[in-house]
Amino acid sequence: MRIDQDIKLDYDDVLIRPKRSTLRSRGDVTLAREFRFPHSNKTWQGVPIIVANMDAIATVSMAKIMTQNKMMVAMSKYLSPEDFTKVDSNYNFFTIGIRDEDYEKLSAAANHAEINYICIDAANAYTERFVEVVKQVRDNYPEAVIMAGNVVTGEMTEELILAGADIVKIGVGPGSACLTRRVAGVGYPQLSAVIECADAAHGLKGLICADGGLKSSGDFAKAFGAGADFVMSGSMFAGHDESEMKIIERNSKKYLPYYGSSSDKAIKKHYGEDGKKNYRASEGRELLLEYKGPVQHTITELLGGIRSACTYVGAEKLKELSKRTTFIRVNRQLNTIHQGKEE
Ligand code: 5GP
């Protein structure tokens, strides 16, 4: 047994320190970026925010709105190949897991639809099997941009890039519908994971995507400030019309469901009553979120908040934000956003 004594931080443990700036307005800030990838020779331009590949959010209607905003969606791995033909293949990832059936589904889908962006997703990407799947997909889809994860440490980020990933997805345990920290006692404070993995990836000309645990636009700004190239969220995009779920009314208030991909609800929905098998515990939970209307309003607010952060530190482009970021450590209690009702 060993204890790592270094302090590791979450988004709530820091704030971004303001800096002298020549920017006059938030309107002067450019959030769009252009990326080149270490393996695929494609280039991508847009606002590097990705909707997580989860049931209640990664829908075809969400993909349409996000594409209009030049942002991305990792489509749900349960989406049919036919449905994938309805979305723009330059802004949406085709998502697979690491089962043989997932790979077969990708091959079948590639016959129907153009697939340029592939997300290989597993709760634990530290296994040899995961690395083999990344290599297999890279060998067979040399032109595709591959995003793979999740991991939280530099050495595994490097291993996935060397195996063929262009973007490594970072995050074990921070998700709002995630119970891994509680159930398994495993995880890594997300801000530190992003800082350390970005450093490792950039050394190999790879990219990272900070996945989960973002509660506000300020957290997105912190993730980009920490070095994330892309940021992925589920909960920020949940609770909107585009979830394609039925609104639930309780005490004359409206709610929409949001549940973890390995919650009992998701497992039952996709694998049936005994899908969980008797050796697995749920590492996801089910939440009811207040209904928030169309997602466009949330997107506008979110981008406005990130622009504001850029203005405070004098970053004219999102690309400059991490260079201009100094984090200060703060008392977590003071910084936590209180979720209580405001009147
Ligand atoms: P959120 O935006 O809700 O904070 O985080 C979304 C992320 O949580 C997803 O992209 C995914 O990485 C993670 N996630 C989604 N469902 C589950 C789950 O059931 N268990 C765990 N451990 N993580 C999940």
Side-chain angles (χ1 to χ4, degrees), residues 52 54 150 175-176 178 180 211-213 232-235 258 260-262 283-284:
M54 294 169 74
N150 281 20
S176 63
C178 165
T180 299
D211 175 18
M232 172 180 273
S233 174
S235 59
Y258 176 61
S261 305
S262 59
E283 288 188 27

Side-chain angles (χ1 to χ4, degrees), residues 51-54 57 121-123 150 169-181 211-215 232-237 258-263 266 282-285 287:
V51 174
N53 47 292
M54 294 169 74
I57 43 174
D121 186 54
N150 281 20
K169 206 146 67 73
I170 309 301
V172 173
S176 63
C178 165
L179 292 177
T180 299
R181 287 178 181 174
D211 175 18
L214 305 126
K215 300 187 290 302
M232 172 180 273
S233 174
S235 59
M236 288 289 288
F237 299 106
Y258 176 61
Y259 50 91
S261 305
S262 59
S263 62
S282 297
E283 288 188 27
R285 61 183 179 147
L287 303 167

Side-chain angles (χ1 to χ4, degrees), residues 13-30:
D13 295 317
V14 299
L15 286 170
I16 299 169
R17 188 168 71 190
K19 276 202 174 79
R20 225 183 118 258
S21 159
T22 53
L23 290 176
R24 287 170 180 227
S25 131
R26 293 170 205 194
D28 296 340
V29 174
T30 307

